[in-house]
Amino acid sequence: GDSVTQMEGPVTLSEEAFLTINCTYTATGYPSLFWYVQYPGEGLQLLLKATKADDKGSNKGFEATYRKETTSFHLEKGSVQVSDSAVYFCALSKWGSQGNLIFGKGTKLSVKP
Amino acid sequence: DTGVSQNPRHKITKRGQNVTFRCDPISEHNRLYWYRQTLGQGPEFLTYFQNEAQLEKSRLLSDRFSAERPKGSFSTLEIQRTEQGDSAMYLCASSRLAEVTDTQYFGPGTRLTVL
């Protein structure tokens, strides 16, 4: 069945370090791909999304490119801040407009000053 | 938009009791979703509504679970005869049927603990 695999955490970085969180997916058809973020004590928030191959989603300095050939959607940021500490979830939309999301297990990021 | 709200935020119950959670979606959002999240895992889809119609249910939604969305506004999720395995965070999300890939906006969740 359809699934999302993301790198295990926790990930600990120093402020201003480069961030990559890997995400790969298995799906039939052409899913849409998402990154959601959960800050401590808050609900899930959409960080960015991409709806077709080669699309790049970006927001708040984070970027991810939909790579159909490698079935990947890796999250990157050039310089992380302490305020980026959160749990990041990669997800796919299984049937396009019906939108039922399939999530990965999440990757906890801690950024130290 | 005032955001998706969920009540209660926390619920502690004894095994065998019934519990009901409420979700108020963002105004005018046609779709409403329920997910369950256990510790260390990502959210898992349970069911979704388009307006008042329940269009899909996951196999995770056993016959002890029931969800309603009367009048297409707020929704309730009831769990009957709770079991310890039901302990989880229950998340509600809503979206507007306005684009091919509609963004889901999540509420803060209801954390259920079954003793």
Side-chain angles (χ1 to χ4, degrees):
Chain A
D2 298 346
S3 65
V4 173
T5 303
Q6 58 183 107
M7 63 187 286
E8 302 248 346
V11 174
T12 303
L13 296 174
S14 297
E15 208 165 20
E16 299 184 0
F18 185 86
L19 168 71
T20 299
I21 300 178
N22 291 336
C23 170
T24 57
Y25 68 90
T26 301
T28 54
Y30 301 95
S32 295
L33 301 174
F34 305 81
W35 278 100
Y36 277 81
V37 59
Q38 189 169 35
Y39 297 103
E42 298 185 17
L44 281 166
Q45 302 174 26
L46 178 67
L47 181 59
L48 53 84
K49 68 180 182 183
T51 58
K52 60 183 187 295
D54 299 326
D55 266 3
K56 178 186 282 187
S58 61
N59 186 25
K60 299 181 181 180
F62 290 89
E63 293 183 340
T65 302
Y66 187 164
R67 301 288 188 198
K68 187 172 181 295
E69 64 276 13
T70 55
T71 62
S72 65
F73 192 55
H74 305 321
L75 182 68
E76 296 182 334
K77 186 175 186 183
S79 176
V80 293
Q81 305 301 311
V82 172
S83 57
D84 294 326
S85 297
V87 181
Y88 293 82
F89 292 92
C90 184
L92 67 84
S93 175
K94 186 176 179 181
W95 291 310
S97 63
Q98 293 190 41
N100 305 334
L101 292 167
I102 296 173
F103 286 87
K105 292 186 176 183
T107 303
K108 184 175 182 179
L109 170 66
S110 295
V111 181
K112 306 297 185 186
Chain B
D1 290 335
T2 56
V4 178
S5 61
Q6 294 186 247
N7 288 288
R9 294 291 305 275
H10 300 91
K11 179 69 176 179
I12 300 174
T13 191
K14 294 182 179 179
R15 188 172 47 138
Q17 297 295 305
N18 299 343
V19 294
T20 299
F21 311 140
R22 177 178 170 127
C23 170
D24 287 90
I26 293 172
S27 177
E28 298 181 356
H29 274 195
N30 311 88
R31 291 181 172 167
L32 188 148
Y33 301 80
W34 285 99
Y35 293 84
R36 181 172 68 185
Q37 185 178 17
T38 53
L39 198 61
Q41 303 294 319
E44 295 175 293
F45 168 75
L46 293 178
T47 188
Y48 96 95
F49 293 83
Q50 184 161 309
N51 300 312
E52 67 275 9
Q54 187 173 17
L55 296 186
E56 188 183 354
K57 293 191 285 187
S58 160
R59 68 185 189 285
L60 294 175
L61 211 68
S62 76
D63 56 6
R64 296 185 298 105
F65 288 70
S66 63
E68 294 182 343
R69 192 184 183 197
K71 303 179 183 178
S73 55
F74 70 92
S75 176
T76 58
L77 177 68
E78 180 182 17
I79 309 174
Q80 295 183 327
R81 305 181 303 281
T82 53
E83 301 173 357
Q84 288 185 325
D86 297 332
S87 295
M89 178 76 85
Y90 289 84
L91 301 172
C92 176
S94 70
S95 68
R96 181 168 48 199
L97 181 56
E99 56 189 48
V100 172
T101 308
D102 44 342
T103 297
Q104 294 185 30
Y105 297 86
F106 283 80
T110 294
R111 183 170 295 284
L112 173 65
T113 302
V114 181
L115 302 176

